Amino acid sequence: MDDANANASTEEIGSILRSHDSFILLSHVRPDGDAIGSQLALGHALMAMGKSVRILSEEGLPENLAFLPGSGLVECPPSEPIEADVAIALDTATQERVGAKCLHAASRAALWLNIDHHISNHRYGDLVHVIPTCPATGQIVYQLLTGLGLPLPDESRDSIYVAVSTDTGSFQYPNTTAETYEMAADLIRRGLDVGTINSKTYDELPFRRLELMRALLNTLELAEDGWLAHWELTEAVRDKLHLQPADSEGLIDHIRAIRGVKVAVFFEEIQNGKIRVSMRSKDPAIDVCKIASQFNGGGHALAAGVRMPGPLAAAKSRLIGAIHQRIAEIRAEG
Ligand code: 5GP
Ligand code: MN
């Protein structure tokens, strides 16, 4: 293995966290619960250690995650680079996915840490700590804080729980491990209020999200003898319903849950004529990360995504073609 790309140990990460004074915490564009949750969890721990911390997100704090305690720390990247010792990218498979404005804001940091759980991680940065067997980056942050005996303030505790809950489909996906449940138990022992945090995470949806669901259901199609389900969101519907990027978060799970479906795909028109594709698989034989990689995307075996050139019809046909090919191989094998 190339030494430059080898994983840094927990102790090596710990010595960086302890010996430096100022940190910029980053995650990916269109941040989900694991991205913002991991940033807040590590950020509040570092602040409890007396460090100076800036938490950046390309478009600022998403409305759906504003309930996280201490979320007010999340800010849009300033236009001038920040003077800080260390930049830490969390939950972000490629450095570009941090976002152009965030990259510029962090450009003076002398040291880059890359802490993630994506198997497709490009292993960028000076120190890499990528654990693909962890179902969420939030769980890696938990392991680092507890393994190193660092502070775990209440804000970090709640953020870790939400990070892991949202990335595991509420502790359901097959990559959820015994350690994940042990971690959840430990967080509850540390005072986490499970009912309240889950209700804030899952029972406070804006009405427009349900209107979005109605629009998506009108486009739902099954293909490949019921193995493939897909639906789509056009810019016209996005504008009509005044949608925000996070409104579609997690909706794909509804079509993933159809009996007989092995692959679920969500096509979404985004800015600049691009198409965002989100994929879920229920069958390890259909590795959606591999399918996404054919188009320069990535993610995990059972949850992956890619941005493709439009128009929508062309992107759909190329991607569904790649899925058709994989399904044909499986049918030929078995
Ligand atoms: P989601 O469908 O929830 O947006 O993403 C599922 C997984 O695929 C996440 O782990 C995410 O990081 C990854 N992913 C989503 N979109 C992209 C993309 O455009 N490029 C890459 N490399 N990964 C993506
Ligand atoms: Mn994640």
Side-chain angles (χ1 to χ4, degrees):
M1 184 192 276
D2 182 353
D3 270 356
N5 289 336
N7 252 14
S9 67
T10 299
E11 275 312 324
E12 284 170 298
I13 301 286
S15 102
I16 301 287
L17 300 181
R18 288 193 178 103
S19 63
H20 291 85
D21 292 323
S22 53
F23 296 82
I24 303 172
L25 303 189
L26 307 160
S27 69
H28 54 84
V29 292
R30 285 185 72 121
D32 54 12
D34 193 27
I36 298 286
S38 297
Q39 284 178 281
L40 286 171
L42 185 56
H44 282 279
L46 286 169
M47 287 199 314
M49 294 165 71
K51 310 292 182 180
S52 135
V53 178
R54 299 282 294 268
I55 301 185
L56 308 184
S57 193
E58 192 73 355
E59 307 295 337
L61 177 68
E63 174 200 292
N64 65 317
L65 295 166
F67 71 89
L68 285 169
S71 67
L73 282 185
V74 178
E75 52 177 319
C76 289
S79 51
E80 293 302 314
I82 296 171
E83 300 300 332
D85 304 329
V86 185
I88 307 181
L90 294 147
D91 197 45
T92 307
T94 67
Q95 200 163 17
E96 300 72 54
R97 263 176 74 74
V98 156
K101 290 180 273 180
C102 280
L103 271 181
H104 180 63
S107 56
R108 295 247 171 88
L111 203 58
W112 265 77
L113 262 63
N114 168 3
I115 300 177
D116 187 24
H117 69 131
H118 291 92
I119 190 147
S120 59
N121 188 287
H122 285 203
R123 309 191 73 86
Y124 58 88
D126 302 299
L127 268 88
V128 178
H129 192 69
V130 175
I131 306 181
T133 51
C134 255
T137 302
Q139 187 174 321
I140 302 176
V141 172
Y142 169 83
Q143 287 170 356
L144 286 171
L145 296 181
T146 54
L148 291 163
L150 299 180
L152 206 155
D154 292 356
E155 293 91 345
S156 305
R157 175 197 68 200
D158 289 11
S159 294
I160 288 168
Y161 183 89
V162 171
V164 177
S165 173
T166 52
D167 247 32
T168 56
S170 309
F171 301 92
Q172 293 181 55
Y173 294 159
N175 57 357
T176 312
T177 63
E179 286 75 27
T180 313
Y181 283 99
E182 278 158 6
M183 178 203 77
D186 180 46
L187 296 176
I188 293 167
R189 282 193 198 98
R190 290 171 186 262
L192 176 94
D193 182 342
V194 177
T196 302
I197 198 94
N198 281 310
S199 144
K200 285 182 179 167
T201 310
Y202 299 112
D203 302 340
E204 293 282 340
L205 304 174
F207 180 68
R208 58 172 196 275
R209 185 175 149 107
L210 273 289
E211 293 185 292
L212 164 60
M213 177 98 140
R214 172 161 53 198
L216 288 172
L217 283 168
N218 280 328
T219 72
L220 174 62
E221 283 181 44
L222 282 183
E224 302 288 342
D225 297 323
W227 283 24
L228 169 65
H230 57 92
W231 62 14
E232 65 200 51
L233 171 60
T234 59
E235 245 179 329
V237 171
R238 162 183 313 291
D239 291 346
K240 183 170 154 237
L241 299 179
H242 306 290
L243 298 178
Q244 297 190 9
D247 288 339
S248 53
E249 197 77 50
L251 288 179
I252 193 172
D253 288 329
H254 290 283
I255 58 172
R256 177 186 167 275
I258 300 167
R259 185 193 298 145
V261 164
K262 292 175 186 283
V263 196
V265 187
F266 185 171
F267 296 97
E268 187 177 345
E269 283 181 342
I270 54 174
Q271 58 284 25
N272 308 328
K274 287 203 168 162
I275 309 300
R276 171 180 184 257
V277 182
S278 196
M279 288 188 277
R280 299 291 182 271
S281 169
K282 284 196 291 200
D283 181 349
I286 306 178
D287 181 332
V288 285
C289 185
K290 282 193 187 151
I291 292 169
S293 305
Q294 294 175 30
F295 305 97
N296 289 321
H300 314 276
L302 303 183
V306 57
R307 309 270 176 294
M308 297 175 74
L312 182 59
K316 272 176 71 179
S317 127
R318 291 172 70 206
L319 194 98
I320 290 175
I323 293 172
H324 171 78
Q325 200 173 350
R326 180 64 197 130
I327 288 178
E329 282 167 15
I330 292 171
R331 291 203 158 120
E333 284 160 13

